[in-house]
Amino acid sequence: MVKKILFVCLGNICRSPAAEGIFKHKIKERDLENFFLVDSAGTGSWHVGNLPDRRMRATALSRGIELTSRSRQIDVNDLHEFDQILVMDKDNLEAVKSLIEDDMNSVNSKIKLILSYSKNSQLEEVPDPYYGGQNGFEKVLNLLNDAIDELIDSLIE
Ligand code: 4NP
């Protein structure tokens, strides 16, 4: 059965497209592409239709990962559609959970902070790099790279 994975951040132009790109890169490397459907979305709508931020694209490309997704906003259908919804920070967590309606009891357990999968980082949240410098983009990729290895391992068990 194909597992459907959705990464979520605020704008869907920095962190969650990077997570999507890293996940796709890793499942290709591990010959697991047929087992997953991967997407990303934002809790906000400001950047809908846009490519990822050019700084995020350049930083990912320097690691061999091309980011080509277009920003879209998450909606309640995504909560039904996806098996796992991995968010970057606690604001995202709250925003996604606010979409849950009364008859959707099983959805809560699908939604997790991505860094809950990280064994090497003490951080709980992937910091928003949008208003910072280059280091912030490198840090996002390092954190995601580590957590997504663990995430994939947990999904193929
Ligand atoms: P993201 O970063 O949530 O990682 O895509 C942001 C992108 C844009 C904005 C904030 C965060 N913004 O305020 O426009």
Side-chain angles (χ1 to χ4, degrees):
M1 258 252 303
V2 170
K3 285 185 180 152
K4 298 180 180 177
I5 312 298
L6 183 68
F7 294 102
V8 177
C9 62
L10 175 61
N12 192 213
I13 55 167
C14 295
R15 293 165 292 173
S16 61
E20 178 186 347
I22 290 169
F23 193 102
K24 285 179 172 168
H25 189 78
K26 287 184 185 294
I27 58 174
K28 191 169 186 184
E29 272 182 350
R30 293 170 68 167
D31 206 16
L32 295 169
E33 280 170 298
N34 293 340
F35 296 97
F36 295 105
L37 187 151
V38 191
D39 196 9
S40 65
T43 60
S45 62
W46 308 282
H47 301 283
V48 166
N50 293 349
L51 281 169
D53 182 287
R54 67 177 61 251
R55 298 165 295 174
M56 191 80 258
R57 275 188 284 147
T59 313
L61 198 56
S62 75
R63 300 182 185 206
I65 299 167
E66 195 177 3
L67 305 182
T68 58
S69 62
R70 294 277 173 176
S71 176
R72 72 173 182 89
Q73 188 174 26
I74 188 172
D75 70 32
V76 68
N77 294 321
D78 291 312
L79 304 188
H80 294 294
E81 184 66 19
F82 287 89
D83 301 307
Q84 289 267 320
I85 300 173
L86 287 317
V87 303
M88 301 296 135
D89 64 33
K90 292 175 186 175
D91 286 342
N92 307 152
L93 192 65
E94 196 176 318
V96 174
K97 288 192 170 180
S98 76
L99 298 173
I100 298 175
E101 293 166 357
D102 286 347
D103 58 344
M104 293 167 59
N105 295 332
S106 64
V107 168
N108 237 302
S109 61
K110 293 182 182 180
I111 310 166
K112 290 182 194 149
L113 287 163
I114 179 70
L115 292 190
S116 66
Y117 285 94
S118 175
K119 283 190 180 146
N120 296 322
S121 173
Q122 305 303 320
L123 290 180
E124 287 185 274
E125 305 179 289
V126 181
D128 182 349
Y130 191 66
Y131 293 107
Q134 180 60 27
N135 281 352
F137 291 88
E138 301 284 0
K139 183 169 188 178
V140 166
L141 293 182
N142 291 341
L143 288 168
L144 291 174
N145 190 55
D146 177 47
I148 288 170
D149 278 331
E150 302 295 335
L151 171 64
I152 293 171
D153 286 347
S154 80
L155 290 168
I156 60 174
E157 266 169 10

